[in-house]
Amino acid sequence: MSACFPLESAGSQPPLGSSTTCGPRVSELTEAGNLAGVQHIILVLSGKGGVGKSTISTELALALRHAGKKVGILDVDLCGPSIPRMLRAQGRAVHQCDGGWVPVYVDQEQSICLMSVGFLLENPDEAVVWRGPKKNDTPPGTSDEHMATVDALRPYGPLGALVVTTPQAVSVGDVRRELTFCRKTGLRVLGVVENMSGFVCPHCAECTSIFSRGGGEELASHAGVPFLGSVPLDPELTKSLEEGRDFIREFPESPAFPALLSIAQKVLIEAPARVP
Amino acid sequence: MGGAGGLSDSDRQWSEEAFSRRTIEEIKEKLKTVKHKILVLSGKGGVGKSTFSAHLAHGLAEDENTQVALLDIDICGPSIPKMMGLEGEQVHQSGSGWSPVFLEDNLGVMSVGFLLSSPDDAVIWRGPKKNGMIKQFLRDVDWGEVDYLIVDTPPGTSDEHLSAVQYLSAAHVDGAVIITTPQEVSLQDVRKEISFCHKVKLPIIGVVENMSVFVCPKCKKESQIFPPTTGGAEVLCQDLKIPLLGKVPLDPHIGKSCDKGQSFLIDAPDSPAALAYRGIIQKIQEFCGLHQPKEEHLISS
C-alpha cells in the first residue's frame, strides 16, 4: 500500500527547502500536526501483488507534480519497497529530527518527497523478514498491517482509496476482497484503475490482450465504484521506472501517457479534501 | 505451575516451544507419505508464481501414475482455486483429516480459498491465526501417498514463509523454485528471497524467468515488454551461481486458460511458453530424482 499526499499548502506549512526546517514530516502518525499541512490523503491499494500499485503511485505523484501540486509518498511495502528506485532515490540516507523521520526529496524543486522502508535497509539485497509486532505498515494482501495503516491515517481523514487491478479474473478475484475491506473499514473508494491493459505491437500496431480483458470495468461495475481508466502495457514506462526517470515529462507520446494523465485529473477532482 | 492466574511467562514459553516441536514432529509424520516437497517462492507479487505452481502441478499430473498435491498457503490472496477451475468447492473433514479437493484422481488441491464462502469475503486475519491455518494445512490434511507436494506461497518474506519453512523443517523439503520477471524491480526482490533461503537453509532448485519476451501473434516479431535492464535472471543466476531453470515468454493463452481454470499446457501445447514450461518441469523432476527421501526408522511411540 502507498499513501500519496498531495500537499497543496494552505499556508499552515513552513516553507519547503528552507535550511532551518526539516520540511513536511511524515512520521509518528499518531502525532497531531504532522499531517496538518496535508490536504488530501490517497491510499493506493490492490489486494494483489505485482499489478502495478507502486507504478501507479509513482506516476500519479509525477502527474500531480506536473499539475503544480506538492506531493508526499509514503511507501509502506515492508517486504518489497520498490518506490525509491522508481524515483531514482535508492540509497539515500534518511535523517531524524525532533518531529520524526525526514522524508527524502526526490527532485530539485522539492515538490515530491518520499518516505520508504527501502531507505532503512543497509544492504539492498538483505531479506526483510518481519514478524508480528515489529510490523506497523503494509504490503499487498488484506492483513493486520493493512488495518494498522488505515487506523493510523484515519484521524487525518477523510481518506480516498484508489484500487489497482489487472484485467485477469485472478487479479479481480483478489481485488474484490480488497474492495470488501474498503467497505468494511469505511474507506471511500475513488475508483478502480486497470493496469497492464493490452499491448500494442510497435511493429504492426496489433493490440493483444496479454493479461486477458475487461476485468477492471466489470469489477468497478460490480462494486458500484467509478472506473478511472485502463493503462496499457508500455515498455517505455517500464524502463522509466527501472531507471528512475520522469515518464510523464519525458514520454508524452507513449501509449500509457494519456491514460495516466486522465486518471490523475480524475483524482484531482474527486479526492476528498480535509476541511481546514 | 501457575495457579488461578494461569501459566507464568516462562511456563508459557516452554509449553509453546514444546507444542511447536510436537507440531513439527506431527507434520513430519503426516508428510511421511509425501516423497518430494517443492516450495514455489517469489520475492515480488504478480510475477506468475501461482500460475507456475498450478501448471507445475498440471504438468506432473499428466502422468497418471504420478500422485500430485498442490497446497496454496497464500492466506490473503488465494489464487489457486480459480486457476484450477475449483472455485466454490468445499473441503470436507473425515476421521483421518481434511480431504483435499481432487481435480483428477491423481491431483489433489488444498487452499484457504476453499474456506471462503463468497468470492467477496475479505480474509482479514492476524498473525497467530494465519500461522494456525498454515499449521493446520500442513498437519491435518490427509494427502495420502503423494509423489510431489507443491506449496504455493505468498510473495515476499513474511510470517507465512517462516511458518511454512519452520513447520516443514523436519520433513525434508527438496527445495525452492523462485519465480521472477526480467525487470530489476523484480530481481532485487529475488536476491532478498535467495538471501532468505540461505538463512533458513532451504536448498534452491533454481530460478524461472517469467514474462520474458512477447511474440506478436500477428506479425510474429518480438518485443521486450519488461526489459531486462540489468541482464534479467540470466545474469543474476550467473552472479549468484544458481541454476536458471528456464525463461517463459508472455503468451495471451496463459491468462485465458487461467481465467477459465484450465491447463494451458493442454490448451496450447505447441506454444513456445508451453515448451518452456515442459523443459522447466523436467529439470525439477531431475533435481528431485537426485534427492531421494532417506529411509528413516520409525520410532515406536
Side-chain angles (χ1 to χ4, degrees), chain A residues 104-160:
Chain A
V104 169
Y105 284 109
V106 303
D107 59 336
Q108 282 198 328
E109 304 82 29
Q110 298 194 331
S111 43
I112 297 186
C113 63
L114 166 67
M115 184 58 204
S116 167
V117 74
F119 295 138
L120 305 179
L121 295 175
E122 280 177 19
N123 174 358
D125 292 339
E126 226 176 76
V128 185
V129 183
W130 304 80
R131 306 215 74 163
K134 259 195 227 146
K135 276 195 274 199
N136 52 23
D137 293 313
T138 171
T142 320
S143 59
D144 42 0
E145 297 90 4
H146 245 126
M147 298 285 330
T149 303
V150 173
D151 286 341
L153 289 172
R154 202 189 291 281
Y156 306 95
L159 309 174

Side-chain angles (χ1 to χ4, degrees), chain A:
Chain A
M1 174 193 287
S2 355
C4 243
F5 308 119
L7 294 171
E8 191 174 15
S9 172
S12 58
Q13 192 64 23
L16 299 170
S18 153
S19 58
T20 55
T21 67
C22 300
R25 297 167 193 140
V26 181
S27 68
E28 306 294 305
L29 294 174
T30 49
E31 289 290 316
N34 278 327
L35 289 175
V38 175
Q39 281 221 328
H40 309 271
I41 300 181
I42 299 155
L43 295 171
V44 181
L45 312 171
S46 69
K48 172 115 189 76
V51 297
K53 194 180 31 56
S54 299
T55 300
I56 297 292
S57 296
T58 301
E59 298 308 320
L60 182 59
L62 291 168
L64 290 171
R65 186 212 10 221
H66 286 292
K69 306 299 177 194
K70 292 196 180 342
V71 188
I73 308 176
L74 179 61
D75 174 11
V76 289
D77 190 345
L78 277 199
C79 296
S82 330
I83 298 191
R85 187 182 189 94
M86 291 177 175
L87 291 167
R88 212 176 271 178
Q90 65 271 44
R92 298 275 291 275
V94 281
H95 307 285
Q96 274 189 299
C97 63
D98 295 340
W101 296 102
V102 182
V104 169
Y105 284 109
V106 303
D107 59 336
Q108 282 198 328
E109 304 82 29
Q110 298 194 331
S111 43
I112 297 186
C113 63
L114 166 67
M115 184 58 204
S116 167
V117 74
F119 295 138
L120 305 179
L121 295 175
E122 280 177 19
N123 174 358
D125 292 339
E126 226 176 76
V128 185
V129 183
W130 304 80
R131 306 215 74 163
K134 259 195 227 146
K135 276 195 274 199
N136 52 23
D137 293 313
T138 171
T142 320
S143 59
D144 42 0
E145 297 90 4
H146 245 126
M147 298 285 330
T149 303
V150 173
D151 286 341
L153 289 172
R154 202 189 291 281
Y156 306 95
L159 309 174
L162 194 133
V163 177
V164 184
T165 185
T166 57
Q168 277 171 279
V170 159
S171 291
V172 166
D174 283 346
V175 182
R176 276 168 86 169
R177 289 188 268 269
E178 191 71 10
L179 285 166
T180 304
F181 168 81
C182 291
R183 204 170 50 242
K184 280 196 173 141
T185 50
L187 263 181
R188 180 179 146 198
V189 178
L190 299 175
V192 170
V193 170
E194 182 186 270
N195 203 16
M196 307 202 201
S197 231
F199 176 67
V200 176
C201 176
H203 306 286
C204 70
E206 167 88 352
C207 182
T208 308
S209 304
I210 299 184
F211 297 114
S212 219
R213 62 190 309 171
E217 274 189 77
E218 274 172 37
L219 177 66
S221 147
H222 169 87
V225 300
F227 179 63
L228 296 179
S230 312
V231 182
L233 284 160
D234 184 341
E236 290 295 356
L237 176 60
T238 315
K239 245 192 287 184
S240 293
L241 293 161
E242 294 267 284
E243 295 164 5
R245 301 169 76 164
D246 184 344
F247 173 81
I248 302 286
R249 187 175 57 201
E250 297 181 31
F251 299 102
E253 306 287 311
S254 212
F257 179 85
L260 289 168
L261 217 62
S262 153
I263 290 164
Q265 274 160 2
K266 290 183 180 153
V267 166
L268 272 173
I269 298 169
E270 293 298 327
R274 302 179 62 206
V275 177

